[in-house]
Amino acid sequence: MSLLLILTVVLIQPSWTKRPGKQEVLSIDVTLPPLRAVVELATGRPELLSGDSFQLTCHVPEEPSPFWSFQWFRNGRLVGNATSYEITKARVQHGGFYTCKGARETELNPQGVMHTLTSPPLKMHVDGGWVILQASTDPMIVQESLILMCRIRGNPIPSEVILYRDGTEILRHHHNILVIPNLTLDDQGMYWCRATWENKGLSQAAQSLAVKVNVLDILTTPVLKAESGDSTVRRGQTLTLKCITEFNTRQTDLVLHYYFFKDDKIMAPATSSSEFSLHNVAPGNAGLYRCKAGVFKLGLEKWSHELNIQIL
């Protein structure tokens, strides 16, 4: 919900005008963007075994304040009213999509109450079985290491753990921490594990449900496009090219640079801007254009396909 803010401005005419001292009141309506609540996992994991505990918190990043009150929803149904939402000894029915919404008193609107938008959902899965595979909920990035835990109810020491990806066995160990180093795009897929352990002198085995692991490329292959969406440009107009790519990294000191080429000849030095413009184009500007995106520190670069620009 947007917030309508009315500003009142008093204008006072200077004394040298014909009507000194006259005041004029000007009202300006300003619509503020709506605030959105955010739900976060404070303790526990998004996937857990029944009997485990978890705690969720809700806050409003754009306007932190101790005066917010929150409502909690599971699968759209109200389940609580508090800053945090906690479940001890979770049951399977406690799984689902959790959202929160904030409200607080304000003098900025006639109703006297400011409401946030509902938060994006956070999925919690409570498994009633014997084995669960715990993985990162965030996408992984190429060259990172994927750490998985094949967790057994009661945490006994496993005698054997087998990890599968898309139905194929990829690891076999005698402990429940499984590591796949130096990830590639081929490591993306559905993972599950099968664990064997001793229980009162008897061998017991169980298999987890599958979890999806997403792997992102550090740098995707660039796509070169004309801003107008048309590769045909009229003489005298401006041609703006966009080099579109995705750069995925957790490092803060890496910079992505762009290069633009025409007929395999570089048009300008490297820049951090993904756009390049040619003004007042002429027939001589027609040709095959490409762009290159690169990260110096990683020694990584990728080329786009050619874009044939015609000048009419």
Side-chain angles (χ1 to χ4, degrees):
M1 180 181 70
S2 299
L3 178 64
L4 180 61
L5 179 63
I6 301 177
L7 302 180
T8 301
V9 180
V10 179
L11 302 179
I12 303 177
Q13 292 191 2
S15 58
W16 45 264
T17 61
K18 294 182 178 179
R19 294 178 296 176
K22 182 178 180 180
Q23 298 181 356
E24 294 183 7
V25 178
L26 175 65
S27 294
I28 304 175
D29 293 347
V30 179
T31 301
L32 300 179
L35 301 175
R36 184 179 293 277
V38 174
V39 56
E40 293 182 348
L41 184 61
T43 61
R45 291 187 56 88
E47 64 288 320
L48 40 95
L49 292 168
S50 56
D52 292 342
S53 302
F54 68 90
Q55 183 183 42
L56 307 175
T57 59
C58 188
H59 64 104
V60 184
E62 295 90 347
E63 191 173 321
S65 169
F67 302 110
W68 288 105
S69 60
F70 297 100
Q71 291 181 313
W72 287 94
F73 303 85
R74 182 174 63 241
N75 299 329
R77 298 184 62 181
L78 180 66
V79 293
N81 294 275
T83 302
S84 63
Y85 183 77
E86 185 175 7
I87 292 292
T88 58
K89 296 184 178 180
R91 299 193 294 268
V92 172
Q93 55 264 40
H94 288 132
F97 292 91
Y98 284 83
T99 57
C100 65
K101 186 166 60 174
R104 72 175 182 85
E105 294 181 355
T106 181
E107 297 180 355
L108 297 180
N109 63 28
Q111 292 77 26
V113 179
M114 177 189 298
H115 295 276
T116 70
L117 298 176
T118 301
S119 71
L122 174 66
K123 183 180 180 181
M124 298 294 297
H125 171 69
V126 182
D127 197 299
W130 280 95
V131 175
I132 189 171
L133 183 62
Q134 294 181 329
S136 171
T137 56
D138 296 325
M140 303 301 296
I141 301 175
V142 166
Q143 297 181 3
E144 290 184 333
S145 293
L146 173 64
I147 301 176
L148 304 162
M149 173 182 279
C150 187
R151 186 178 163 214
I152 308 169
R153 184 179 295 277
N155 300 315
I157 299 174
S159 55
E160 183 179 65
V161 174
I162 305 173
L163 181 66
Y164 299 86
R165 182 182 64 236
D166 297 331
T168 301
E169 178 184 329
I170 59 172
L171 285 177
R172 186 182 290 250
H173 283 299
H174 297 292
H175 50 79
N176 62 353
I177 302 296
L178 308 164
V179 181
I180 302 176
N182 198 26
L183 288 173
T184 70
L185 294 177
D186 292 334
D187 291 314
Q188 178 168 282
M190 300 299 296
Y191 285 76
W192 64 92
C193 65
R194 179 177 177 81
T196 305
W197 67 98
E198 296 292 326
N199 184 15
K200 298 180 180 179
L202 298 177
S203 180
Q204 189 170 344
Q207 179 175 300
S208 74
L209 295 176
V211 297
K212 183 172 179 59
V213 173
N214 294 310
V215 181
L216 304 176
D217 205 350
I218 299 175
L219 185 64
T220 62
T221 299
V223 175
L224 184 63
K225 291 184 176 182
E227 185 180 48
S228 63
D230 191 351
S231 59
T232 301
V233 184
R234 293 190 176 278
R235 184 182 309 189
Q237 291 185 338
T238 297
L239 169 64
T240 299
L241 299 173
K242 289 188 174 183
C243 191
I244 304 171
T245 185
E246 290 184 10
F247 181 39
N248 300 298
T249 181
R250 302 189 207 282
Q251 296 179 244
T252 58
D253 60 339
L254 298 179
V255 179
L256 182 61
H257 287 93
Y258 298 88
Y259 308 76
F260 291 86
F261 297 80
K262 175 181 175 291
D263 299 329
D264 291 329
K265 294 182 179 179
I266 192 166
M267 302 176 65
T271 174
S272 59
S273 173
S274 61
E275 295 187 6
F276 182 81
S277 294
L278 290 172
H279 303 284
N280 195 26
V281 296
N285 295 121
L288 297 176
Y289 288 78
R290 288 204 297 170
C291 71
K292 181 176 70 173
V295 185
F296 293 147
K297 283 191 175 182
L298 300 180
L300 179 65
E301 60 181 34
K302 290 191 176 182
W303 289 82
S304 73
H305 293 295
E306 291 181 335
L307 177 65
N308 187 8
I309 297 294
Q310 298 179 340
I311 310 297
L312 298 181

